[in-house]
Every structure is written in structure tokens, then in C-alpha cells.
Amino acid sequence: MTDTTELRQRQKQWVDNLHGDKPVEVNNVFWKLISKDSNLQSQTVDKYLEQWDGKTDNVTENRRLDSYNENTFSYYNLVTDFYEYGWGQSFHFCKFFIGDKFTDAIKRHEHVLAHRAGIQQGDLVLDVGCGVGGPAREITKFTNCHLIGINNNDYQIKRANMYTKKEGLDKQCHFVKGDFMNLEFPEATFDKVYAIEATVHAPNLKDCYSQIYKVLKPGGVFAVYEWVMTDKYDASNEEHRKIAYNIEIGDGIPKMFTKEVAVKALEDSGFEIIEQEDLANLDDPVPWYYPLTGDWKYIQNLNDYLTFFRTSYLGRKLTNTMIYGLETLKIIPKGSTRVTDALENAAVGLVEGGKQGLFTPMMLFVARKPLIQD
Ligand SMILES: CC(C)=CCC[C@@H](C)[C@H]1CC[C@H]2C3=C(CC[C@]12C)[C@@]1(C)CC[C@H](O)C[C@@H]1CC3
Ligand SMILES: C[S@@+](CC[C@H](N)C(=O)[O-])C[C@H]1O[C@@H](n2cnc3c(N)ncnc32)[C@H](O)[C@@H]1O
């Protein structure tokens, strides 16, 4: 048995045991937490947090980079239910315009990527790091393409396929296990490839982009919303490094790279960069991170009061207090509070990084695989 087969079997078994025997259709976050295996939940939290001891020296960082696969696997086993509860089925940020409803802005961000990638009816498209498939379903409906989503988290794949079947899209769109550091599709399979806020989990962007390059047809396009530290970021500045660290620990990221590293990685993989644009502007009338600040003045739709209460500072405090109470009463598994604490770190780091313009979750790159390779 190869190492990869063994790892996959172990991860599949872990997910089956961790999430208990509740049907995959259950949507209530508290019910999902109650039905988790307490022992395994606590072991998953330990496994994830043992990597995060506050250190950012080279040895510690290399350890995190080496264990990227198990680390993000554990992270998403812990946070997926919270993400769905607080954010919905698309696990990404978006640009807001005045008057925007949250769900409309999220979908528009997906349409923009599909448009910039030039996805056409009938194209075979790969979604790299597909989450529970919110963007994939939307892009399939928007373009009428055929789409495969890959993900290294078995729990998310189950939920992605469940939602897709429910929406009657399962003939056009499906989700499989895979590691974007080792894509197993034959060379030149896809017309287009996209990734939304996923490849930031890679331990090495060049190796990840090279895998994408390999599976794209010559002339094919790769479009990505990359998470990067901007040109303003200075790794030797303690405050900046602390912000990046909060983003790393709270979002399951082995190491945040700079925009410069991402550009070089695309070029070194053989791509020709057609467009590069940071869609997050500091002077945007409505900042991308506002759902996490709970700035009520930006809310322009009645439905969004509920969504943004959950994601706001106050709403998070309320959720975290409830989680703490339920864990103390042993109603939900041990370790759940440590998960909400890590998510709080994420929110703080993201907002601070966004406000200071040190970080962007929407560095858009559109890159082409040349028709003739060197
Ligand atoms: C991790 C990466 C690369 C992308 C995910 C981006 C966002 C969808 C998440 C980043 C931080 C998350 C938090 C929540 C939802 C999803 C994020 C915004 C919550 C609002 C979910 C509900 C919890 O009670 C609080 C969370 C704070 C962080
Ligand atoms: C923040 S989520 C974004 C999901 C999706 N793109 C969306 O916008 O809803 C990041 C995704 O990348 C996946 N991921 C992380 N590391 C991966 C890897 N090595 N191979 C494949 N998928 C990975 C996670 O499991 C998760 O689904």
C-alpha cells in the first residue's frame, strides 16, 4: 500500500468516526457538534493546535510546512460546521458595493472569477480546494460548464456532493478527494482551472501552481483569488508578524506568503500572467472585512442583520460563550471552545491585516499556459 493510499484510508476513517452516524444532511451547528465523537474531537483539536505554539522560527515553520496536509485536514474537520453556520456554503470573502446584500456580493465575486477565467459552456473545469462546493455550483449554473472539485477534506466532499445532488446538478458537477500538491489527473485534462482562497494552504506555491499547470490544456487559463501579504508587509516588524501569525493559526495556513512570492511562483511554473489585480482597495466605500467587525452602518439589507450578527464581534462572543457553556456541561465535545478561540484569532488578524492594508484575500491572478511550451 502506498503512503498516499494509507493516508487517505486513515483520513476517511477519521472523518467517518469523528462526525458520528448522523446523516450528512443535518445542518444545525449545535446538533452537528453534539453528535461528534468527543474523544476524536479533542484529539483533532490537539493535533491541530500542537503545531501552533506561538513560535515563528525557521524550524517551527518548516514543521508546519511539512505537515500541511494533515494540518489543513484537521483544521477543516474542526471549523467546517462553524463556517457553514456563520458564512454559508461559499468559504470566501468578497468585494461589497453600496446597497449589496451579502449573498449577492458573494455570488458576484464567483461570477467575476468565472468571467475573468473565460469559462465557456461545455468547458471542463477544475475547482482546486472546493470547500462544500458553493462557488462550484454557482459557476456551473452561471456558465453551464462541467466541473470537478478537489479537496483534501472528506467531510467537506460529502457535504459538497450532498448539496449538489439536492440541487440536481450532480450530472455536471462533482467532488473528489485530492491534494493540490499532487494532482492525479492526466496531463492537459482541463480547459480552465480556478482556485478561491484555497492555495494559500500550500506549503510551496510554485509546486502547487506547477501541478495546476500540468493538468491544464495548452492555451488553458488558471484564475485564482490568492491570500497574500501585500507590499506593505514587513516580516521583520513584530506587529506585522503577529497579524500574519493570527491569520495562520486561525485559518489553518502553514505560512502566509507575499504577493511577490506568488507572482514569481506563477512565472516559475511556466504561466504567462495576463492579469493581476488586488480587488481589495483601502478606499472601498464598504470594506471586504466588515462582516467581521459588525459595523452596522454598512448593512443595507434586512436579512443581513442576522448573518452579520453571527459574524460580528458581539455575535461571536455570544456563540463562544454558548459553546463554552455547552462544553462545560459536557453536552458538546471537549475542545470545541479551543476551536472558537482559534477562529477568534482569525477574525482579529484578518480585520487588522485588512485595515492596515497588509493583507488581501482577493489578489486576483489570471494566468495562461502557453500553447507551445519551452
Ligand atoms: C481559511 C481561508 C483560506 C478562507 C476562509 C475565509 C472565510 C470564509 C473565513 C475566515 C475566518 C472565518 C470565520 C467565520 C466564518 C468563515 C470565515 C469568515 C466565523 C464568522 C464563523 C462563525 C464563528 O462563530 C466565528 C467565525 C470567525 C471566523
Ligand atoms: C477557505 S476554503 C475555500 C473553499 C472554496 N474554494 C470556497 O470558496 O468555498 C479552502 C479549501 O481548500 C481545501 N484544501 C486545503 N488544502 C488542500 C490540499 N492540500 N489539497 C486540496 N484541497 C485543500 C480545504 O479543504 C478547503 O476546502
Side-chain angles (χ1 to χ4, degrees):
M1 201 187 296
T2 65
D3 285 356
T4 316
T5 319
E6 196 272 329
L7 176 74
R8 286 191 179 180
Q9 283 182 357
R10 190 154 41 80
Q11 290 185 336
K12 185 180 176 312
Q13 195 59 54
W14 189 276
V15 160
D16 286 346
N17 295 342
L18 172 67
H19 296 278
D21 50 9
K22 67 171 188 328
V24 69
E25 287 82 8
V26 171
N27 276 329
N28 181 285
V29 67
F30 293 106
W31 184 238
K32 285 197 270 191
L33 285 174
I34 288 167
S35 30
K36 278 193 183 186
D37 181 291
S38 196
N39 237 333
L40 282 186
Q41 167 79 351
S42 162
Q43 281 180 45
T44 310
V45 180
D46 289 342
K47 238 173 132 172
Y48 178 66
L49 286 177
E50 75 187 9
Q51 300 278 342
W52 300 98
D53 48 10
K55 294 192 190 143
T56 53
D57 58 276
N58 282 349
V59 176
T60 320
E61 271 188 3
N62 284 338
R63 211 179 46 228
R64 280 185 214 129
L65 292 165
D66 285 345
S67 48
Y68 76 92
N69 185 306
E70 284 281 54
N71 204 25
T72 45
F73 171 74
S74 299
Y75 175 76
Y76 284 105
N77 278 334
L78 298 171
V79 303
T80 299
D81 296 334
F82 287 105
Y83 272 32
E84 284 198 46
Y85 154 76
W87 210 255
Q89 294 173 26
S90 289
F91 298 166
H92 61 78
F93 288 103
C94 60
K95 226 176 145 64
F96 293 102
F97 291 86
I98 293 170
D100 268 351
K101 193 174 150 195
F102 178 60
T103 46
D104 290 348
I106 285 280
K107 283 183 185 165
R108 187 201 304 117
H109 203 62
E110 295 161 1
H111 297 167
V112 166
L113 193 72
H115 172 66
R116 299 274 189 113
I119 299 177
Q120 310 277 329
Q121 164 154 325
D123 272 354
L124 182 59
V125 178
L126 178 68
D127 177 336
V128 175
C130 59
V132 296
R137 283 183 291 281
E138 187 57 33
I139 288 176
T140 303
K141 290 182 220 168
F142 183 63
T143 64
N144 200 18
C145 66
H146 286 268
L147 194 147
I148 300 175
I150 66 128
N151 195 333
N152 79 336
N153 187 280
D154 307 67
Y155 180 55
Q156 291 192 342
I157 297 167
K158 270 193 192 177
R159 293 198 56 79
N161 281 321
M162 176 274 289
Y163 285 128
T164 306
K165 194 152 196 258
K166 255 191 177 168
E167 289 183 30
L169 286 170
D170 50 322
K171 295 237 160 26
Q172 249 175 296
C173 182
H174 72 279
F175 304 91
V176 295
K177 174 93 172 175
D179 179 353
F180 53 48
M181 300 307 289
N182 179 24
L183 292 175
E184 289 163 307
F185 302 100
E187 260 181 52
T189 299
F190 296 96
D191 299 293
K192 310 280 158 47
V193 178
Y194 72 85
I196 304 184
E197 303 188 20
T199 41
V200 64
H201 293 292
N204 176 321
L205 282 178
K206 184 195 165 235
D207 292 350
C208 175
Y209 295 157
S210 298
Q211 289 291 306
I212 291 171
Y213 184 92
K214 178 188 78 180
V215 301
L216 256 179
K217 292 181 183 167
V221 172
F222 169 47
V224 55
Y225 286 133
E226 196 54 273
W227 274 32
V228 290
M229 302 314 287
T230 65
D231 297 341
K232 284 191 174 174
Y233 176 73
D234 171 7
S236 65
N237 175 319
E238 231 174 81
E239 193 205 341
H240 288 192
R241 188 63 194 94
K242 171 99 179 47
I243 289 172
Y245 183 79
N246 266 338
I247 296 176
E248 290 164 355
I249 180 176
D251 293 291
I253 294 165
K255 183 173 168 59
M256 279 300 306
F257 297 113
T258 57
K259 176 186 142 197
E260 211 183 337
V261 170
V263 170
K264 186 160 185 326
L266 280 168
E267 288 169 351
D268 289 351
S269 309
F271 280 110
E272 174 201 336
I273 301 178
I274 313 168
E275 290 185 57
Q276 50 172 309
E277 183 185 354
D278 181 358
L279 300 188
N281 292 317
L282 276 181
D283 50 4
D284 277 344
V286 184
W288 61 265
Y289 51 79
Y290 99 88
L292 297 175
T293 63
D295 239 333
W296 305 109
K297 68 173 184 238
Y298 292 125
I299 302 179
Q300 286 160 93
N301 180 283
L302 215 58
N303 279 339
D304 286 351
Y305 276 97
L306 184 61
T307 313
F308 292 143
F309 180 68
R310 286 178 182 178
T311 61
S312 68
Y313 178 76
L314 203 67
R316 298 199 303 268
K317 283 279 162 265
L318 186 74
T319 307
N320 298 359
T321 310
M322 259 155 49
I323 295 290
Y324 174 75
L326 291 171
E327 183 177 333
T328 311
L329 294 171
K330 297 193 168 39
I331 294 173
I332 59 171
K334 206 166 135 225
S336 305
T337 308
R338 286 196 288 155
V339 177
T340 48
D341 287 347
L343 283 174
E344 190 51 34
N345 278 352
V348 169
L350 291 163
V351 170
E352 214 34 64
K355 278 188 175 163
Q356 296 195 33
L358 300 172
F359 161 79
T360 176
M362 47 189 85
M363 184 65 218
L364 169 70
F365 291 110
V366 183
R368 182 178 288 119
K369 175 171 176 172
L371 273 173
I372 300 164
Q373 277 91 66
D374 299 333

